[in-house]
Amino acid sequence: MSKFIFLIVCFFVPFHVTAHESMAESQEWLSLVHYHPNFLGRYKGSIDSESFYLAKDGRINPKAELEATIKLFVDGSDKQKMCLFPARYIFLLNNGLIEKTNVKCEEFEKFKEDLQPSGITMIFTDAYMNNPSSLFGHTLLRIDTSRQGTQMIAHGANYGAYYNDENGFLYAVYGLTGGYFGGWTIKPYYNIINTYNNIENRDIWELNLNFTKEEQDLFIAHLWELGHTQTRYYFFTKNCSYMLVEAFDAIRPSLKLADQFWLQTIPLDTLKAVYRKKNLVKNVNYRPSRQTKIIYQKQQMNAKQQKALLSIIKDENYTQLTELSNEEKTIVLETAYQYIQYRFIKKEFSLSEYRKKSFSLLSARNKLPSNKENNMEKIRGHSPLLSHESMRATIGVGSRNGENFQEFSYRPAYHSLTDNNYGLLPGAEINFLNFKIRHYDQSQKTVLSEFDLLDIRSLSPIDNLFYPISFAVSLNVSRETHPQTQKEGYVGNGKVSGGGTIEVIPHVYSYIMGSGYGSYGGFLPHNQYVGIGLSGGIFIDYKYFKLLAEVEKQIGSNWYADKTKYHIEANIPILRNLGMAVEYRYDNNQQGKNVEEYLTSLRYYF
Amino acid sequence: MKNFYLYSAVSTALIFMSASAQAIDSTGCGLGSMAWRGQSGPVPQVLAVTTNGLTGSQTFGITFGTSGCDPNGRITGGTQKMVFNFIENNMEQYALDAARGEGETLDTLAGMLNVDKNVFAAKSQQNFASIFPNSDVDAIYVTQQIFAMIKA
C-alpha cells in the first residue's frame, strides 16, 4: 500500500510541475498578469505597481509569479492579499490548480453589489479641439448594470493620468515622457454623460461588447485587481486606450488586441480594432452631445420656428411662438432650453439669470402636451468606425520652379483638412510627425523637404447660436530656397493663428485669420526672423470633393520674410482609404526669386 | 488655558475637515473620484478631461456631482439616497424631461423607484408645477416631491 502511494506521489509531483510550467506560459496566464515578450522573448509585466506581483521577480518571471499566486491561495492565511486578486483566483480554480477557499472578500463583494454588472461597453468620446490631450478622442468603459431603469445608473470605469495643475508645457513633457502615473477611477455613467455630452459637447459612441457571463465576472474581478495598481502614463503609447485593450486581452486572450498597439495607441484605432474582432461587438449606440442636438434641432426647424427661437434666446420674447403649432412650439422651447444650458456652461450668464431663463422656458413647455415626434433618436451621426485609417502615405510627382521631382510622404497620425472627414470632427485638422522626402531629377538629389512636428487647425463656423474661434498651431522644419542666392537650407518654423470662419453656403466655408510666426535657421539672414501675417481662405467640404484655397500676406522682421503665399489643395476621396490630390503653391517674395510648385499625389490611409 | 487648547483643537479639526471636504468636492463624482480604497497622492483626474465641474449648488441648476456623491464614485445606498444623488446630478435634464413628459431621466427614475415608466412620465408632467414651484428649488425638495408624487 505504501509503495502504491509512493508511486502515485512520484507520478503526481513531476506531472504537477509540468502543469505549472505549461500553465505559466499559457496565453491566459500571460494576459492576466499583462506580460509581454520583449525582442529577446523574455517576459515583462506592463503594470508598474510592485504590489501587483506576488513573487520577488514576478514581473519578469511568469512561472515564479504563478507559483507564488498558487501558494497564496493554498496557504490561505493572507486574506487581505487574496482579496486583491479575485481574477487570479478564478483562473487558478478553473484550471484545477487550487481548491475553493472560504475567504469572504467584503469590499469586493460590495463593489459588485454596487455595480450589479450585466455587460461591458466600450465608450468612445469624440475629439475635443480645445484640449491638446483630447485631440484624438478618449476611450473608457461602462460596466452595464442590471439595475432597473436605464444605463444612466451604470458605472463608467476610466483609466487616466493623475496630474496636478502643471502648466501646458510641463504637462506635455510629463505626458509624453511618462512623468505621470495612470490609474483607474469609477463613477456613475450619468456623470460621464454630463462631462462629455453636456459640458464638453462631445459626442459619445457606445460599443456593447459580447462577453459571456463568465467573461464578465472575470472582467469585474480583473478590474478590481487593476484598480489597485498604478502605471506610468505615456500619452501616445501606454494611455487610456492601451490599458483598456490589455484588460480585454486579459479576459479573452485570443483577442490579442494589445499586440497591435506596440508603436502608438490612438483611441479611435483601438475602437476600430475592437469593432473588427469577430463576435466582440454586439451593438453600436450613439449619444449626441448637447451642441449636436441643438444644431440638429435647428436644422429641422422651419423659418418661423428659427425666428421664434432667436427672439426667445436673444430677447426673451415669446410672442413669435403664437404663429406656430403646438408641436412646432415644443421643439423651439426645448431647443432654447438646451441652448441656455450651453451658454451657462460657457459662463455667459449669472446663476440667477440662468435659473430665471430656464424656468420660464420649462414652464412654457410644460403647458404643451408631450410630443413623441420630437425624438432625438433620429440623429444618426457619422460613425467614427467608418473614418479613414490614421496613418497616411502619399506618393506624388511635381515640379518646383520647373524642376521635376518625385515625392513620398508618411504621416503616423491623424487627419488633414482635405482628407475624407467622414466620422471625424468637421473642419478639424491634426497632423503629427508628417514628413516628406523628395527626389529632384535635374540636380539628382534626394532630400527631406519637410518635417511637421505638429500641425493643428480648427475651422469651426460662427452662426447666430455659436461663436467658436478658429485657430491653427504649427511647428515644422522645411527645406527652403534663399530667394537671392538660390542656396537651399533648413528652416525651423513656428506659427500660431486665430480668427473666424463662416459657412457661406452649405459645405462651403470662408475664414480669415491673423497669425504670429517665427523662424530659425543658420541659412537665413541674421539666422532668424519673426513676423505677423494675415490670411484668408475658402474651404469646400463636399463628400467627394475637398478644396482648400488660401492667401497669406506676411510681414517680417527682415526682408526674407516679406512675402505673399498662395496655396490651393484639392482632394477627391475615391474610397474611404484612398484619395487623389493636387496641390499648387506660389510664394511671391518681395525681393528675389519667387517659388512655384505643382504636385499631384495619391493618398493612401492604413 | 484649557479653553485655548479646546478652541485650537476644535479649529484645527474644522480646518482639517473643511480641507478634506474640499478634496472630495474637487474630485466629486464629476471628475474621477476614487474607486478603490487606499489610493493616495494627487487627486486622480483624467488627462482627457479639462473642464472642472461647476461649483456645487444644490439648487436648481447644473450641478454635475458635487456634494452627496459617494466617495468611492459608486451608486450605492438605499433608494432614497440613490434618487437624491441622481436628481442632484441630473436636475436640469430631469426638469426638462418632466416638463415635456418624456426622456431618459424619467425612465431611469421610474426604474429606481420601481414604478411604471409611462405612469411616472405622465405624473411628472402633470405635477411639474409642484415639483418645480419656482426657480430656486433644490435637489432635496425635488426628491421629496417625487416621493410624495408616487405615493399619491
Side-chain angles (χ1 to χ4, degrees):
Chain A
M1 187 62 196
S2 68
K3 223 179 208 172
F4 180 65
I5 290 171
F6 177 74
L7 260 176
I8 290 176
V9 171
C10 270
F11 188 74
F12 190 69
V13 168
F15 170 77
H16 210 95
V17 167
T18 48
H20 282 190
E21 199 94 35
S22 65
M23 206 54 85
E25 297 273 319
S26 72
Q27 204 52 55
E28 284 77 22
W29 178 248
L30 295 175
S31 302
L32 195 60
V33 195
H34 297 233
Y35 289 115
H36 294 282
N38 66 11
F39 59 98
L40 294 171
R42 297 190 57 159
Y43 289 106
K44 193 178 176 201
S46 64
I47 306 293
D48 283 342
S49 285
E50 279 176 30
S51 60
F52 189 66
Y53 307 97
L54 294 165
K56 220 175 197 162
D57 59 345
R59 189 165 183 185
I60 52 164
N61 188 342
K63 184 167 167 267
E65 186 61 19
L66 179 64
E67 279 162 2
T69 311
I70 292 171
K71 189 165 167 286
L72 172 76
F73 286 100
V74 169
D75 185 52
S77 57
D78 194 343
K79 182 188 155 185
Q80 209 186 348
K81 228 175 209 169
M82 285 196 286
C83 287
L84 284 178
F85 295 100
R88 293 194 195 180
Y89 172 71
I90 296 171
F91 168 82
L92 297 179
L93 204 61
N94 286 348
N95 287 286
L97 295 170
I98 54 162
E99 305 272 302
K100 248 192 164 132
T101 65
N102 295 323
V103 174
K104 279 248 168 309
C105 298
E106 291 86 3
E107 281 184 42
F108 178 55
E109 291 305 319
K110 183 77 179 74
F111 178 68
K112 286 195 285 188
E113 194 190 309
D114 287 343
L115 262 53
Q116 296 192 21
S118 69
I120 293 151
T121 296
M122 186 176 185
I123 306 293
F124 174 73
T125 66
D126 254 358
Y128 184 52
M129 291 304 282
N130 293 339
N131 178 6
S133 65
S134 300
L135 290 173
F136 296 110
H138 179 53
T139 57
L140 63 152
L141 291 174
R142 186 179 73 200
I143 312 300
D144 299 347
T145 184
S146 57
R147 282 184 204 267
Q148 278 193 64
T150 67
Q151 293 305 324
M152 277 185 103
I153 46 174
H155 287 82
N158 200 348
Y159 183 76
Y162 298 83
Y163 70 96
N164 302 314
D165 286 331
E166 276 86 14
N167 65 43
F169 177 71
L170 267 184
Y171 174 81
V173 170
Y174 285 167
L176 292 171
T177 59
Y180 294 119
F181 275 96
W184 290 82
T185 53
I186 202 151
K187 55 188 163 184
Y189 191 58
Y190 53 71
N191 281 316
I192 306 272
I193 298 172
N194 280 333
T195 302
Y196 295 103
N197 265 179
N198 298 337
I199 298 181
E200 296 188 348
N201 289 299
R202 298 160 71 174
D203 289 349
I204 294 176
W205 293 83
E206 303 167 340
L207 272 61
N208 302 125
L209 303 179
N210 200 6
F211 285 125
T212 64
K213 183 80 188 69
E214 287 71 36
E215 285 173 324
Q216 286 172 28
D217 290 346
L218 187 62
F219 192 85
I220 301 301
H222 188 55
L223 192 60
W224 182 255
E225 294 180 345
L226 290 177
H228 290 88
T229 68
Q230 290 191 0
T231 295
R232 284 194 180 279
Y233 193 98
Y234 294 87
F235 186 58
F236 284 117
T237 50
K238 281 172 89 175
N239 55 19
C240 60
S241 301
Y242 182 79
M243 274 299 162
L244 294 199
V245 296
E246 272 206 3
F248 293 150
D249 283 349
I251 54 162
R252 195 185 281 179
S254 61
L255 292 174
K256 296 198 169 154
L257 282 162
D259 293 350
Q260 299 177 28
F261 300 101
W262 56 276
L263 182 65
Q264 60 179 21
T265 317
I266 296 174
L268 181 52
D269 291 353
T270 65
L271 195 79
K272 286 175 177 169
V274 165
Y275 184 68
R276 283 165 194 167
K277 288 286 171 189
K278 258 197 172 144
N279 296 326
L280 189 54
V281 176
K282 272 194 290 200
N283 200 13
V284 180
N285 184 35
Y286 173 54
R287 242 175 217 284
S289 74
R290 193 199 303 278
Q291 191 172 5
T292 306
K293 287 182 194 168
I294 297 169
I295 292 169
Y296 173 83
Q297 291 283 48
K298 194 185 154 213
Q299 279 170 354
Q300 304 299 309
M301 286 181 193
N302 58 38
K304 278 183 184 169
Q305 280 178 301
Q306 293 203 9
K307 220 171 136 196
L309 174 73
L310 288 176
S311 66
I312 288 175
I313 58 185
K314 303 270 189 254
D315 314 317
E316 286 184 67
N317 175 357
Y318 287 66
T319 52
Q320 310 261 4
L321 279 178
T322 48
E323 290 183 37
L324 304 175
S325 75
N326 273 355
E327 260 137 59
E328 289 171 337
K329 281 181 200 165
T330 60
I331 294 168
V332 170
L333 290 169
E334 289 171 23
T335 309
Y337 179 75
Q338 292 286 9
Y339 184 69
I340 297 303
Q341 315 301 309
Y342 170 89
R343 293 280 299 276
F344 178 62
I345 287 167
K346 297 263 174 222
K347 302 200 165 90
E348 292 172 23
F349 298 131
S350 70
L351 185 65
S352 62
E353 202 182 344
Y354 154 76
R355 282 187 190 148
K356 208 178 100 251
K357 286 175 195 279
S358 298
F359 194 70
S360 58
L361 281 166
L362 289 187
S363 302
R365 170 62 190 91
N366 188 238
K367 294 193 177 74
L368 302 164
S370 16
N371 176 10
K372 299 282 180 207
E373 291 305 302
N374 173 25
N375 204 332
M376 283 297 167
E377 279 158 27
K378 280 189 203 143
I379 312 184
R380 290 267 77 98
H382 288 180
S383 172
L385 293 164
L386 300 176
S387 63
H388 68 73
E389 302 299 314
S390 301
M391 290 202 248
R392 184 181 83 178
T394 72
I395 45 165
V397 289
S399 95
R400 182 182 169 92
N401 283 355
E403 184 179 6
N404 292 343
F405 65 83
Q406 296 87 48
E407 183 184 278
F408 168 80
S409 84
Y410 168 75
R411 181 196 69 194
Y414 179 67
H415 176 75
S416 292
L417 269 179
T418 55
D419 289 339
N420 181 3
N421 57 8
Y422 188 92
L424 297 166
L425 214 58
E429 168 173 88
I430 307 158
N431 289 309
F432 267 98
L433 308 179
N434 183 37
F435 67 81
K436 295 178 187 168
I437 291 171
R438 279 183 187 174
H439 175 79
Y440 287 94
D441 282 351
Q442 238 168 324
S443 45
Q444 283 292 324
K445 64 187 173 196
T446 304
V447 293
L448 174 73
S449 78
E450 198 175 314
F451 174 71
D452 299 332
L453 190 63
L454 70 100
D455 184 4
I456 297 166
R457 179 151 45 174
S458 174
L459 300 179
S460 193
I462 292 168
D463 61 15
N464 45 25
L465 294 185
F466 303 105
Y467 322 102
I469 292 169
S470 292
F471 65 88
V473 178
S474 73
L475 263 179
N476 65 45
V477 175
S478 64
R479 193 174 172 88
E480 292 184 15
T481 314
H482 195 285
Q484 287 176 330
T485 63
Q486 294 301 302
K487 262 198 209 159
E488 290 188 5
Y490 287 101
V491 180
N493 309 295
K495 184 171 162 184
V496 180
S497 329
T501 304
I502 52 162
E503 190 171 14
V504 188
I505 52 168
H507 306 290
V508 176
Y509 304 88
S510 163
Y511 64 90
I512 184 159
M513 284 205 219
S515 55
Y517 58 92
S519 290
Y520 181 85
F523 140 96
L524 296 172
H526 313 293
N527 287 343
Q528 77 233 333
Y529 63 82
V530 289
I532 51 166
L534 185 69
S535 63
I538 289 172
F539 175 48
I540 301 176
D541 185 18
Y542 291 112
K543 195 174 173 195
Y544 291 109
F545 181 69
K546 314 278 177 192
L547 183 134
L548 184 71
E550 186 180 84
V551 184
E552 179 171 26
K553 175 90 186 145
Q554 293 188 345
I555 304 160
S557 57
N558 72 47
W559 62 265
Y560 180 91
D562 292 342
K563 55 179 114 181
T564 312
K565 295 167 102 171
Y566 301 85
H567 177 207
I568 302 174
E569 184 181 323
N571 178 35
I572 298 171
I574 309 162
L575 299 168
R576 182 161 70 99
N577 285 318
L578 192 67
M580 248 185 73
V582 287
E583 225 174 305
Y584 172 76
R585 278 173 202 276
Y586 183 69
D587 285 7
N588 187 351
N589 292 303
Q590 246 53 4
Q591 296 181 40
K593 208 172 172 226
N594 300 331
V595 178
E596 188 174 33
E597 223 180 80
Y598 300 90
L599 175 71
T600 309
S601 63
L602 215 56
R603 297 176 177 182
Y604 176 64
Y605 309 83
F606 57 105
Chain B
M1 200 59 188
K2 220 178 197 174
N3 277 348
F4 172 75
Y5 281 124
L6 189 67
Y7 286 138
S8 50
V10 168
S11 54
T12 312
L14 278 177
I15 290 164
F16 187 74
M17 274 163 65
S18 61
S20 59
Q22 250 180 11
I24 287 169
D25 267 356
S26 64
T27 56
C29 282
L31 262 189
S33 38
M34 291 192 201
W36 287 273
R37 282 179 40 172
Q39 269 179 353
S40 56
V43 169
Q45 290 186 322
V46 181
L47 273 175
V49 178
T50 46
T51 321
N52 284 307
L54 297 158
T55 45
S57 143
Q58 289 179 5
T59 43
F60 182 74
I62 300 160
T63 53
F64 298 152
T66 44
S67 60
C69 163
D70 179 67
N72 287 324
R74 298 187 212 150
I75 298 168
T76 189
T79 307
Q80 201 154 4
K81 188 181 171 216
M82 289 198 304
V83 169
F84 171 68
N85 284 347
F86 183 82
I87 290 295
E88 201 179 29
N89 285 280
N90 298 284
M91 189 126 102
E92 51 75 61
Q93 192 59 42
Y94 172 67
L96 173 64
D97 290 351
R100 65 182 173 186
E102 62 162 327
E104 199 180 11
T105 63
L106 301 184
D107 296 349
T108 311
L109 283 165
M112 288 166 113
L113 293 160
N114 198 19
V115 294
D116 181 84
K117 66 179 187 186
N118 293 323
V119 174
F120 185 77
K123 275 189 174 177
S124 288
Q125 192 178 21
Q126 281 155 22
N127 294 295
F128 177 79
S130 54
I131 304 170
F132 296 96
N134 57 58
S135 61
D136 291 324
V137 290
D138 62 19
I140 298 170
Y141 183 81
V142 171
T143 308
Q144 283 169 344
Q145 291 302 303
I146 290 172
F147 276 96
M149 176 183 85
I150 58 166
K151 269 186 205 134

